Amino acid sequence: MAASSNRTRLRYLLHLAQDNLDFRLPEIKALLALRGKPFHPGEHFKEKAPFWCLDGLCEDDVRGIMARSVCAKSAFELWGHGQTHSELRTSLLTYPSELMTPFLHKDSTYKINVYTFNKTLEFPDRIKRINAMEYLPFEGTVSLKSSQHIFCLLEDYGTDPNNIPEDPYYIYFGRWIADGQRELIRSHSVKNRHFIGNTSMDAGLSFIMANHAGVKENDLVFDPFVGTGSLLVACSHFGAYVCGIDIDYNTIHGRGRSSRTNQKWRGPDENIRANLRQYGKEKMYVDVMVSDASKSVWREAALFDAIITDPPYGIRESTRRTGSHKDVTKPADGIYLESHVPVSQAYHLSDIFTDLLNFSALHLVIGGRLVYWLPVYRPEYCEETVPLNPCLRLISNCEQMLSSHTSRRLITMEKIKEPEEFDSLAHLADPRFSPFQGHNAFREKYFSGVNKRKEENKSDLNGE
Ligand SMILES: C[S@@+](CC[C@H](N)C(=O)[O-])C[C@H]1O[C@@H](n2cnc3c(N)ncnc32)[C@H](O)[C@@H]1O
């Protein structure tokens, strides 16, 4: 009884990376949802802060989150906190001793780290901080190299590098539990990836997308604009089986010009399967094929646990689909000659998103998630321009700036019901169920903005 009441009193502290700020909360919420846990922030929670206190969790939950998160750096069991060292001391001395003693006994080894956010402390000041913690009943032996228990004093000096206060705004002390998966950003960097293209997705963002989608072991994940398969690499790392399609023959078959500056043509075995092999995940590879996302070849069934994708915006790759406005006569037997090259026509962004949402509504399992990037022209953006579908609930919508006037938004949706006949009339109730035509001119707006900026820079240079 006492143990369970103690467990509920425990509070954990997350230390988060200060990049991709918008993506952190949906990531942690999605990882908690995977464990069936709601997000319970402690008091004074600030979304953009480097430290978050979380309530209502157990140590296993925290370890589970840290085994996946690329936004969180470290997690601690919070023993005390306060605005000053004296408040911290009071808080620590009221922390139940039965929760501390298992980690302080005389047969154990330990060390205390000092971490300061937005300020560098000189070595003697760090030692002073550590010595000042002597009021805690540490009975074990200090071991810097292989300590059984690691404690950390964390001082928060705010987020403004031009205004660093003398004393910290807030101080925490806790027992280190686990580090997050920031290392994946380096180990899976596209710089060292076997097969890459002009639009290969950055490793950190690929893992964030897989986390927003709540990808888990043995899931089947599909990317309908697979390119070089960066998103499949991330999902396979989390134990999912992966597959995808792309309209580009060369990309799927790893042929054609290389995207590396020192290499003219792609070498043998430059393909998505080899990318998975590079990270020891080849067994998670299902297949990829040349296919047009606008013309589904899949049987009408809920096939995928997650659909994760980065559709083309028409900036560095064309947005094409098979078909023609002209009448192209099909052979009488319906079979084209082997030499037949299908014609293609423009694939408008609004249609890409409508098709993607309809496809996901049909092919995701209930509770399965769609995660995709929506490019937006910021002066025109409002929440109403985010495409909706009656079968998909919007879970999160995070912005990543591309330029002063353009950004892309990472949209996460969850399937809540199977498509029904009258869903096609949903746009009568809410226009967001029909395609937002404004997305179509993204390319023109993107380049007009770039040119406008160039003109402004020229004027600045000319002193006008
Ligand atoms: C932004 S890239 C995806 C990059 C990918 N995430 C990666 O990491 O390499 C978009 C991809 O969509 C493909 N694409 C364009 N139109 C398509 C269509 N109608 N059907 C399927 N794929 C298409 C392009 O060939 C391109 O590879």
Side-chain angles (χ1 to χ4, degrees):
M1 183 64 197
S4 76
S5 66
N6 283 341
R7 224 174 284 141
T8 54
R9 287 168 64 180
L10 287 180
R11 175 178 272 191
Y12 294 91
L13 180 75
L14 293 194
H15 172 214
L16 295 121
Q18 282 306 99
D19 54 21
N20 293 320
L21 293 192
D22 249 18
F23 302 87
R24 305 182 313 174
L25 188 55
E27 190 203 54
I28 301 300
K29 281 186 176 174
L31 296 178
L32 282 171
L34 269 184
R35 305 184 63 82
K37 289 284 168 83
F39 177 75
H40 279 310
E43 74 259 47
H44 314 306
F45 172 77
K46 284 200 197 109
E47 192 183 335
K48 309 280 175 195
F51 301 106
W52 291 352
C53 292
L54 300 186
D55 290 331
L57 301 178
C58 67
E59 189 168 324
D60 270 356
D61 294 328
V62 177
R63 288 189 187 281
I65 297 171
M66 300 313 279
R68 291 284 301 256
S69 176
V70 284
C71 293
K73 286 184 158 183
S74 310
F76 307 87
E77 183 183 277
L78 186 60
W79 284 13
H81 54 103
Q83 286 181 341
T84 60
H85 280 276
S86 145
E87 272 187 31
L88 172 69
R89 182 191 169 109
T90 312
S91 162
L92 279 170
L93 293 178
T94 54
Y95 193 68
S97 63
E98 69 272 21
L99 294 178
M100 288 189 193
T101 41
F103 308 99
L104 303 180
H105 62 85
K106 66 176 177 9
D107 300 326
S108 64
T109 54
Y110 76 97
K111 71 173 170 181
I112 301 176
N113 289 337
V114 177
Y115 175 79
T116 49
F117 183 81
N118 197 29
K119 183 164 191 155
T120 310
L121 275 195
E122 298 296 333
F123 185 68
D125 290 327
R126 289 174 179 275
I127 299 297
K128 251 190 239 165
R129 299 278 205 281
I130 294 169
N131 290 340
M133 301 307 298
E134 265 173 15
Y135 57 82
L136 285 180
F138 292 108
E139 290 183 358
T141 313
V142 172
S143 165
L144 297 184
K145 279 204 178 132
S146 60
S147 33
Q148 283 169 308
H149 308 302
I150 300 172
F151 303 96
C152 198
L153 179 78
L154 303 107
E155 295 187 344
D156 182 0
Y157 289 83
T159 47
D160 183 355
N162 300 316
N163 181 20
I164 303 172
E166 186 56 32
D167 296 314
Y169 290 121
Y170 215 80
I171 313 162
Y172 306 90
F173 184 87
R175 179 174 66 90
W176 174 81
I177 303 277
D179 285 336
Q181 303 300 312
R182 304 283 298 164
E183 169 58 17
L184 289 176
I185 299 171
R186 192 201 55 80
S187 63
H188 285 65
S189 164
V190 286
K191 277 191 208 141
N192 307 317
R193 180 87 42 90
H194 187 70
F195 170 48
I196 54 162
N198 292 340
T199 56
S200 291
M201 179 61 67
D202 161 271
L205 290 174
S206 302
F207 284 110
I208 289 175
M209 289 174 79
N211 279 340
H212 283 204
V215 167
K216 55 189 186 310
E217 236 170 79
N218 297 325
D219 274 358
L220 180 61
V221 177
F222 177 66
D223 181 348
F225 301 96
V226 73
T228 58
S230 312
L231 306 178
L232 302 192
V233 166
C235 295
S236 69
H237 178 81
F238 294 137
Y241 291 94
V242 293
C243 55
I245 59 165
D246 200 289
I247 201 169
D248 190 81
Y249 178 94
N250 280 343
T251 304
I252 289 293
H253 291 281
R255 305 247 175 100
R257 284 191 174 274
S258 170
S259 299
R260 297 182 200 280
T261 39
N262 55 355
Q263 188 184 328
K264 195 160 183 200
W265 301 101
R266 284 182 175 136
D269 206 32
E270 279 195 39
N271 53 49
I272 295 176
R273 186 179 202 131
N275 276 353
L276 265 71
R277 191 182 309 129
Q278 181 181 356
Y279 303 109
K281 297 291 170 196
E282 191 177 358
K283 66 176 192 300
M284 308 320 289
Y285 178 86
V286 177
D287 211 348
V288 294
M289 63 179 175
V290 182
S291 184
D292 176 358
S294 73
K295 298 194 171 52
S296 179
V297 293
W298 303 89
R299 74 186 149 88
E300 286 197 9
L303 301 170
F304 306 116
D305 298 289
I307 295 174
I308 305 183
T309 198
D310 177 24
Y313 323 141
I315 306 298
R316 281 181 290 173
E317 74 292 75
S318 66
T319 53
R320 309 290 300 168
R321 62 173 157 186
T322 51
S324 169
H325 296 300
K326 295 182 206 141
D327 275 344
V328 180
T329 34
K330 226 178 176 183
D333 57 4
I335 301 168
Y336 291 105
L337 291 177
E338 232 177 81
S339 57
H340 170 78
V341 177
V343 286
S344 68
Q345 58 180 352
Y347 193 9
H348 297 298
L349 286 191
S350 62
D351 294 331
I352 290 185
F353 300 125
T354 306
D355 289 350
L356 178 63
L357 268 61
N358 286 340
F359 181 89
S360 304
L362 194 58
H363 293 293
L364 276 175
V365 298
I366 297 284
R369 287 188 171 187
L370 162 69
V371 177
Y372 75 97
W373 290 100
L374 178 72
V376 298
Y377 182 59
R378 299 188 79 231
E380 278 176 7
Y381 172 77
C382 59
E383 270 180 32
E384 283 65 41
T385 59
V386 177
L388 291 184
N389 181 291
C391 302
L392 305 170
R393 180 167 66 98
L394 183 65
I395 300 287
S396 59
N397 170 357
C398 321
E399 183 174 35
Q400 186 197 27
M401 299 287 290
L402 295 177
S403 69
S404 58
H405 58 287
T406 57
S407 66
R408 56 181 179 178
R409 305 194 73 100
L410 186 60
I411 308 291
T412 300
M413 305 183 96
E414 191 168 288
K415 177 161 166 181
I416 47 171
K417 71 174 188 82
E418 294 298 343
E420 289 165 297
E421 219 172 282
F422 54 80
D423 284 343
S424 58
L425 301 175
H427 64 281
L428 300 176
D430 186 332
R432 280 184 293 172
F433 290 117
S434 65
F436 170 63
Q437 300 301 327
H439 292 306
N440 292 338
F442 179 72
R443 187 174 199 280
E444 289 69 36
K445 290 167 192 162
Y446 181 90
F447 284 113
S448 79
V450 169
N451 290 336
K452 219 187 285 164
R453 246 201 352 259
K454 274 189 196 151
E455 288 305 317
E456 281 164 10
N457 289 346
K458 242 191 263 166
S459 312
D460 288 349
L461 288 174
N462 295 341
E464 285 166 29

